[in-house]
Amino acid sequence: MSAARTAAVLGGIALLTACTIRTTGRPAPPYYPPPPQAPPREEPPRERPGPSTAVTLGVPPGHLPRAGECRVWIPGTPPGRQPRPRSRPCERIAATAPAGSWIVYRPTYDRRLVYVRVVDERRPGIVLRVWIFDVETRQLLREEAPEEEPRQYVRPREERPRDQQPPPGYRPPPPQQRPPEERPQQRPPENKPPSPPPDQRPPMPPPEIVRPVPPEPRPPEQRQPEQPPPEQRPPEQRPPDQRPPDNRPPEQPSVPSTAVLDVPPGHLPEPGECRVWIPGTPPGRQPRPKSRPCEGIAALAPAGSWILYRPSQDRHVLHVRVVDERRAGVVIRVRIYDIDTNRLLREENP
């Protein structure tokens, strides 16, 4: 019985092997278990990138401003053609900074640093970012957000002397333990009585009726004399419909101060060109050059200045573009003058 069962099992195995070879054309490959996988490697934490060194200070050392002062620098312009002066106070310097320029400042507490306030490429006087460079290596140290005032007015906490810095972990005491001059001003609580409900409130008194008081009779010496009839009064005291016609010539309106051009003929630009003029400044102290092309001149015009333009089609006319008193480079009106008579012809919108 066992021999017959063994022969049946061997026949089944032979039949299964024959079917597998006929179906696939080759015997099945042996099975190999997969190799053990190595544990995943732990990558070290990445360090935060520091400030980019792609930006370098392109201002020569001899063209930097004095300590505590500022200057305007045009990137990509040779040093000999940079705006003057080389060093000046920082007050209101952003109003004269054209679009795409730098406002360079050297602090007095650390002369090894240079602060560069980057002005917007399209809006003059609008600072977008502040770069801090090292004077010796000329490399960028860090970048900060722009402030409302230049850096010399706000001394950062980390740059103060060590004897003036609080110790690490210092926390200010509560307001109750501070000196009286350092405590915040607090208003005392108002102890208002609770208001009664509407149905328990007393009724409002009736409104007071104010009657007009008749005027007191004046004595005879203070009474006004009786007026004569309109026919016997002077023309200016008669009613408008009874006055005689006024044949006097109309009065000429007064000439405003802007109706006369206050620019000498020798300081006018060449036909087809422009120049910047500061009203109220002597001719010898006016900005240079006397004549230049008109492209991009509005970006260099300070607040309250004039942009003089002499058209080549009509050399007897001068166009004056008036810049806003508070915003540099923003033209608010255009006045047209006659060069021969120095009189204002008309005024137009920019």
Side-chain angles (χ1 to χ4, degrees), residues 329-342:
V330 178
V331 179
I332 57 177
R333 65 180 61 90
V334 179
R335 297 171 183 161
I336 302 176
Y337 291 87
D338 189 346
I339 297 180
D340 299 332
T341 61
N342 290 337

Side-chain angles (χ1 to χ4, degrees), residues 267-276 289-295 297 307-313 317-319 321:
H267 291 266
L268 295 177
E270 299 295 333
E273 294 188 349
C274 299
R275 79 160 301 178
V276 177
K290 190 194 76 168
S291 184
R292 53 156 290 177
C294 299
E295 288 79 10
I297 193 173
I307 301 176
L308 307 182
Y309 167 60
R310 200 171 172 189
S312 56
Q313 296 84 0
V317 173
L318 181 68
H319 292 241
R321 301 171 65 85

Side-chain angles (χ1 to χ4, degrees), residues 47-98:
E47 299 181 357
R48 298 182 61 183
S52 175
T53 58
V55 181
T56 57
L57 183 63
V59 183
H63 291 266
L64 293 175
R66 292 188 290 268
E69 295 187 352
C70 299
R71 77 159 305 175
V72 176
W73 184 268
I74 309 297
T77 304
R81 297 184 180 180
Q82 293 293 336
R84 299 289 180 177
R86 183 181 68 87
S87 184
R88 55 158 288 185
C90 298
E91 288 79 5
R92 298 180 60 83
I93 193 173
T96 61

